Amino acid sequence: MLDETSTPLLFYSSPKLEERILNDQPVLQVNSITKRFPGVVANEDVSLALYPGEILALLGENGAGKSTLMNVIYGLYQPSEGEIFVKGQPVSMNSPRDAIALGIGMVHQHFQLVPVMTVAENIMLGSESVKNGLLDTRAVARRITELSERYNLAVDPYAVIEDLPVGVRQRVEIVKALYRNVDILILDEPTAVLTPQEIDGLFEVMNLLKSQGHSIIFITHKLKEVLRVADRIAVLRDGKLVGQTTPHDSTEAELAAMMVGREVILTVDKTAAHPGAAVLEIDGVAARDDLGQPALRGVSLAVHAGEIVGVAGVQGNGQTELVEVLTGLRHADGGHIRINGQELTNASPRQITDAGQMSHVPEDRHAYGMVASYDVAHNMVLNSYYRPPFARAGVINEPAIHQYATQLVAEFDVRTPSVDALAGSLSGGNQQKMVVAREFSRPLKLLVVAQPTRGIDVGSIEFIHNQIVSKRDEGVAVLVVSSELDEIMALSDRIAVMYKGEIIDIVPRSQATREGLGLLMAGVKD
Amino acid sequence: MRIFRSLLIPVLALLAALLTGAIVMLIFGDNPLKAYQGLFAGAFGDGRAWATTIRKMTPLILTGLSVAYAFKAGLLNIGASGQFIFGTVCSVAVGISMEGMPMLIHLPLAIGAGIVGGMFWGAIPGLLKVYTGAHEVIVTIMLNYVASLFAGWTVYAGGTQGQTPGPLWDPTAGAISETPDVLASAQIPWMFGPPYRVHWGVVLALLVAVLFWWLIYKSIFGFELRTVGQNIKAARYAGIAVNRTIILAMTIAGGLAGLAGAIETLGLNHKFAPEFSGAVGFDGITVALLGQTHPLGVVLAAFMFGALDGGASRMQFESGVAADIIQVIQALVLAFVAAPMIIRSIFRARWLSEAEGQATLTTGWGGN
């Protein structure tokens, strides 16, 4: 079991696993892989081995570096440091073509199929079979039929892709990889787009492939699936490998804690909360996600003045949709949202900001929180540009904006050459401080903060946490959504745990433990 | 420095187009030097040459602004041509009716009709985009055909088997398809009369360019428009009414093209005939892109295109090179502006890519 203060970095606890590591030669091995992008380290010193005939689950939150690691293995990226061995030989891959030649195939999360072409045409794309100068589609179709019978992957070679349901398209992708004679198969979040029945089918196929000697890397952030299908589990967090285990030796709660824990233990100095009247009242709210699937199934929650309510949960359990519904960015299909007693269900973002005196630090600051091509000054007034003194009678008042932004930059310690610098040129931490400066500097009753410290440096994290607590102490009602359990534990006065679009439980901070929250995040409630 | 940099690509593009044009002339055994001399003389050689250049430039300023305006909101208005034609028909309809009206009322009414007609024609793709998701490029291209055919019908001369003539057809013109002349009270007065034939419309167009600049860069509305164009999600987050902004952007873009039609008709042609086509609307796309969608850039680009158009016939007369080569050059300008990579490799302007390196940093890392 994991305790609250330390997370074991690496553990091999199964005797069988140790035996295997000593005796078998891995088909694929990566040693100390580091991948840097400008300003970001996506993978840091990751070492991992894949053995013949096993399913290795790679577990991690969005942004943990799973896809980057797989793109390195598939030849799409070159590692900044480290080595890759395939069947014992050191290799360097410059493109997926090299990877395929070495027997590595990948099924991407977003399918790489041409919708208007047939299954056979898609599968032979790039390795066309030619007879007398013409495409030999019939030979390809024969091979496809052979493969689909052997691996129980029913596909019609002559069907057109756009007529096929998503589950079948995925089968086509798998056949496409097998057609190229790969024995290492990387499946990037394959279950994200499937129905439960299709997932069962996929797992059967995976086991069949395994029994015929293929090795599979299965990328996911769904704990139940990992425990069901994997032989071994590797967990990535913040680009680093934080542990390896087997389904036999671990529980959902442990895996959840490993996924969302943070090595740096965050502490926030704060006094006891003195909650006042309810500011935000959410009552039975339902909503759907971008694909039209139910994402919120009757969420009810109240946030009072002067308290911080944290929303914990493994990503993808409705937290994003909840914040979007609250802030007017997503339509609620049912339920009520009241802010300061005022009914604001499905009101526009501006109505909610004005009438509710609400501020919102969005989860994705690049997509929502800022305009990268604007300078810092105009980003500081992104949602108050129309108010005096920033505008009078419809005319923008540049000096006032400039002065205000300069003041906020100093107050919130945003490191920028000047307020005329483009927001996109700032570091992640400073961009977030800019967003926080803007959102925290209005008269506030309610603050909705989503993933406030994702992808930013420790110094900025501390600063932003202290700002959030000081807003609470001023009597603002604060809702913090984070996939970092430590962040939730450090900030919250009460913790609501979301699971499958519902709030499974609300616990006072004083009664919350990592284990207890981990169990709730995995959907286990006693 | 910033102005210098933003001018660089368009100027190099023009240069590359003129060079390529010269090569084409050489291949056909023409003398490019003589041709370009003629071109220059025809555009700036004397008062009449200047007058031609200004005359050609005037509608291009407005159609260029029309495309630029939509572009600021992240929309591609390929429909300036149709909006121009529809605006023309509307202003002619007002211009040939209401006899006895004083100019002070009649002329603004006729110009206004052109603007409103263009706005209506621009609003359609905006509304369809917002409410049905139809892409504005497809819709505006289709509406170009509709406007063109509709305009043709309004001046249809009728048939020998008793088909009804179009409502704006001039019966005194016999079998020719055209409208009567607009009444004198609806004609834009000459700034310099014949032989120069420069009307006050050019001043109006320049004033509109200034207004455009103020609206885009100084007003709340412009801030909202640009925010929608730069990051539509952030615009929604910031509480901007994105749908309303898109509809308004297309409507105003249409209004600008409609105004171009009104000015061209009321100032110069004084009537509508199908051969006054909407080519000037398509040239607006090139002018807007060449001008980097900045109002000052658009005016400069329109001036350049006006000079090319204005000098073309003199060039043909003096050097024997077909005036059509000018259209080749104009098309090449667009190709070069649209493909700065070609310009870069031609001129080996490495430091250009350094300047752009800064810009790409803003997109950052989108992995995972």
Side-chain angles (χ1 to χ4, degrees):
Chain A
M1 264 292 169
L2 298 164
D3 65 27
E4 212 185 307
T5 47
S6 74
T7 313
L9 265 175
L10 216 63
F11 53 93
Y12 297 104
S13 41
S14 152
K16 224 176 126 194
L17 188 65
E18 268 171 39
E19 190 187 324
R20 151 161 266 180
I21 285 163
L22 289 172
N23 295 334
D24 270 4
Q25 197 205 30
V27 283
L28 174 76
Q29 191 171 2
V30 296
N31 279 347
S32 306
I33 292 284
T34 297
K35 178 64 189 172
R36 292 188 201 92
F37 292 97
V40 188
V41 181
N43 288 138
E44 195 177 340
D45 196 24
V46 177
S47 298
L48 204 59
L50 178 71
Y51 294 92
E54 73 162 353
I55 296 173
L56 171 68
L58 191 59
L59 190 63
E61 294 249 308
N62 285 352
K66 296 171 304 210
S67 297
T68 306
L69 182 62
M70 288 309 113
N71 286 336
V72 167
I73 293 174
Y74 194 52
L76 281 164
Y77 296 148
Q78 276 66 54
S80 314
E81 281 166 36
E83 303 163 300
I84 303 172
F85 294 89
V86 176
K87 288 147 202 146
Q89 299 298 312
V91 294
S92 99
M93 292 174 280
N94 293 313
S95 72
R97 200 170 270 263
D98 294 346
I100 290 166
L102 289 164
I104 303 171
M106 182 158 173
V107 174
H108 294 268
Q109 197 173 352
H110 305 285
F111 301 150
Q112 320 276 309
L113 298 170
V114 185
V116 295
M117 285 172 32
T118 66
V119 170
E121 284 167 338
N122 266 285
I123 285 174
M124 70 167 134
L125 204 63
S127 55
E128 293 86 354
S129 163
V130 180
K131 194 168 135 191
N132 305 329
L134 295 168
L135 288 175
D136 190 2
T137 316
R138 200 169 292 175
V140 176
R142 250 196 325 268
R143 189 74 216 289
I144 293 169
T145 314
E146 227 173 81
L147 284 169
S148 37
E149 277 165 13
R150 184 163 158 208
Y151 296 106
N152 198 14
L153 288 160
V155 290
D156 171 8
Y158 298 108
V160 175
I161 296 293
E162 61 188 356
D163 299 336
L164 299 174
V166 176
V168 181
R169 289 187 204 191
Q170 190 172 57
R171 288 211 284 272
V172 175
E173 281 277 18
I174 296 174
V175 173
K176 191 167 119 190
L178 296 172
Y179 184 84
R180 286 160 175 72
N181 295 314
V182 303
D183 42 21
I184 300 167
L185 199 56
I186 303 167
L187 304 175
D188 189 1
E189 305 260 2
T191 58
V193 291
L194 301 182
T195 65
Q197 291 74 25
E198 287 174 324
I199 290 173
D200 290 343
L202 174 69
F203 286 173
E204 270 170 39
V205 168
M206 284 167 67
N207 279 321
L208 194 61
L209 285 166
K210 183 175 88 171
S211 70
Q212 302 205 16
H214 292 269
S215 306
I216 295 171
I217 300 179
F218 170 47
I219 303 175
T220 186
H221 59 247
K222 294 182 187 165
L223 307 169
K224 281 206 164 66
E225 295 174 356
V226 168
L227 293 176
R228 238 179 94 189
V229 78
D231 296 307
R232 285 195 304 128
I233 302 164
V235 184
L236 275 184
R237 187 208 307 150
D238 292 339
K240 299 185 202 93
L241 188 70
V242 291
Q244 296 193 46
T245 180
T246 66
H248 183 70
D249 299 312
S250 52
T251 63
E252 281 186 51
E254 279 178 350
L255 290 175
M258 276 172 85
M259 264 169 80
V260 300
R262 200 192 269 274
E263 273 175 76
V264 184
I265 300 303
L266 303 160
T267 50
V268 179
D269 283 332
K270 64 180 171 76
T271 53
H274 303 287
V279 173
L280 171 66
E281 295 163 276
I282 309 167
D283 185 14
V285 164
R288 278 165 295 162
D289 65 15
D290 291 339
L291 300 170
Q293 299 300 317
L296 298 178
R297 305 160 194 263
V299 171
S300 298
L301 182 67
V303 184
H304 299 83
E307 72 163 349
I308 299 175
V309 173
V311 176
V314 174
Q315 207 160 37
N317 278 290
Q319 299 97 312
T320 304
E321 288 80 5
L322 177 64
V323 168
E324 287 178 352
V325 166
L326 290 183
T327 53
L329 292 170
R330 184 176 293 273
H331 185 82
D333 298 332
H336 294 278
I337 294 164
R338 274 181 296 274
I339 302 174
N340 302 322
Q342 203 174 339
E343 176 78 32
L344 286 170
T345 319
N346 289 326
S348 73
R350 177 147 308 165
Q351 281 173 319
I352 295 173
T353 314
D354 286 356
Q357 296 192 20
M358 182 213 67
S359 266
H360 171 205
V361 177
E363 171 181 319
D364 186 342
R365 65 176 163 270
H366 289 284
Y368 287 96
M370 55 182 249
V371 179
S373 52
Y374 279 179
D375 58 21
V376 172
H378 288 91
N379 271 291
M380 285 295 195
V381 295
L382 194 61
N383 42 23
S384 54
Y385 62 90
Y386 58 94
R387 287 203 193 115
F390 310 128
R392 282 182 207 285
V395 187
I396 300 273
N397 181 355
E398 295 289 347
I401 291 173
H402 218 265
Q403 195 195 336
Y404 177 72
T406 309
Q407 183 196 325
L408 286 194
V409 161
E411 203 176 311
F412 285 81
D413 190 30
V414 182
R415 309 274 165 84
T416 171
S418 78
V419 295
D420 300 322
L422 294 187
S425 68
L426 268 54
S427 75
N430 283 304
Q431 288 173 346
Q432 188 71 341
K433 280 201 245 175
M434 175 183 81
V435 174
V436 166
R438 178 184 71 218
E439 294 305 313
F440 284 35
S441 302
R442 287 203 295 265
L444 279 187
K445 291 247 170 72
L446 172 65
L447 187 54
V448 177
V449 187
Q451 314 293 356
T453 56
R454 174 174 286 171
I456 67 179
D457 58 290
V458 178
S460 304
I461 291 176
E462 207 181 351
F463 181 85
I464 289 171
H465 280 176
N466 288 332
Q467 290 290 332
I468 292 174
V469 171
S470 74
K471 278 291 152 195
R472 178 201 75 167
D473 293 341
E474 288 169 22
V476 175
V478 185
L479 184 73
V480 176
V481 176
S482 176
S483 55
E484 301 275 4
L485 199 49
D486 288 307
E487 178 161 62
I488 293 287
M489 304 259 298
L491 283 174
S492 309
D493 300 311
R494 288 190 300 143
I495 300 171
V497 182
M498 282 195 82
Y499 180 73
K500 287 199 170 168
E502 286 175 57
I503 290 187
I504 183 167
D505 203 0
I506 303 175
V507 280
R509 170 64 184 88
S510 53
Q511 290 166 30
T513 60
R514 285 185 77 84
E515 297 83 65
L517 292 176
L519 281 172
L520 288 170
M521 286 162 72
V524 182
K525 192 183 176 188
D526 36 45
Chain B
M1 200 57 198
R2 221 157 123 187
I3 290 176
F4 176 67
R5 277 223 174 103
S6 49
L7 274 178
L8 198 70
I9 287 278
V11 168
L12 291 182
L14 182 71
L15 237 117
L18 287 173
L19 276 172
T20 317
I23 293 169
V24 173
M25 287 184 228
L26 281 173
I27 290 171
F28 287 96
D30 292 319
N31 182 350
L33 271 181
K34 219 172 148 194
Y36 285 147
Q37 252 170 20
L39 182 70
F40 190 83
F44 310 116
D46 51 34
R48 281 175 76 168
W50 274 96
T52 315
T53 298
I54 291 170
R55 208 159 55 224
K56 299 275 186 190
M57 167 183 84
T58 306
L60 286 174
I61 292 177
L62 290 167
T63 53
L65 289 176
S66 164
V67 177
Y69 197 88
F71 201 81
K72 287 290 180 201
L75 302 163
L76 271 172
N77 180 21
I78 310 294
S81 170
Q83 295 144 12
F84 176 94
I85 292 174
F86 202 77
T88 302
V89 170
C90 292
S91 64
V92 168
V94 173
I96 58 176
S97 51
M98 297 193 259
E99 213 162 330
M101 191 90 75
M103 181 185 261
L104 213 59
I105 297 170
H106 199 186
L107 180 57
L109 264 183
I111 293 176
I115 296 174
V116 170
M119 285 171 88
F120 169 66
W121 216 242
I124 297 171
L127 286 163
L128 287 176
K129 184 182 181 77
V130 165
Y131 291 110
T132 71
H135 201 285
E136 77 276 6
V137 168
I138 309 293
V139 177
T140 50
I141 288 174
M142 292 304 149
L143 284 177
N144 285 342
Y145 290 111
V146 178
S148 173
L149 293 168
F150 169 78
W153 167 76
T154 60
V155 292
Y156 176 52
T160 46
Q161 271 120 37
Q163 291 98 325
T164 330
L168 301 182
W169 173 60
D170 177 12
T172 62
I176 300 167
S177 287
E178 61 177 30
T179 63
D181 277 9
V182 294
L183 302 169
S185 57
Q187 292 182 5
I188 299 173
W190 296 121
M191 193 156 69
F192 303 102
Y196 298 109
R197 295 172 66 229
V198 174
H199 56 83
W200 285 96
V202 64
V203 176
L204 188 58
L206 289 171
L207 283 176
V208 169
V210 175
L211 182 71
F212 178 105
W213 171 82
W214 181 86
L215 199 64
I216 292 280
Y217 295 103
K218 296 290 154 193
S219 78
I220 285 181
F221 180 70
F223 185 80
E224 293 179 344
L225 186 86
R226 284 183 292 129
T227 306
V228 169
Q230 294 290 329
N231 183 343
I232 195 162
K233 284 180 172 170
R236 279 190 68 205
Y237 161 82
I240 293 167
V242 171
N243 286 347
R244 195 190 66 189
T245 307
I246 287 175
I247 296 167
L248 265 176
M250 281 309 292
T251 307
I252 291 174
L256 286 164
L259 176 62
I263 286 182
E264 191 72 344
T265 315
L266 304 174
L268 198 64
N269 301 328
H270 296 155
K271 63 183 163 203
F272 174 77
E275 68 261 27
F276 304 144
S277 74
V280 75
F282 289 115
D283 286 341
I285 298 167
T286 318
V287 165
L289 294 180
L290 188 62
Q292 313 261 298
T293 69
H294 189 282
L296 182 62
V298 167
V299 170
L300 289 176
F303 177 69
M304 229 159 66
F305 265 54
L308 286 173
D309 282 340
S313 49
R314 179 93 161 253
M315 178 191 78
Q316 180 166 5
F317 180 73
E318 288 190 0
S319 68
V321 176
D324 299 321
I325 192 75
I326 292 303
Q327 276 167 21
V328 174
I329 290 170
Q330 289 178 344
L332 283 168
V333 169
L334 179 61
F336 285 125
V337 169
M341 292 303 284
I342 303 175
I343 288 293
R344 215 165 280 142
S345 61
I346 291 175
F347 292 95
R348 295 180 182 279
R350 290 225 183 88
W351 48 276
L352 261 180
S353 52
E354 277 165 36
E356 281 214 340
Q358 256 182 337
T360 46
L361 268 184
T362 60
T363 53
W365 172 60
N368 269 329

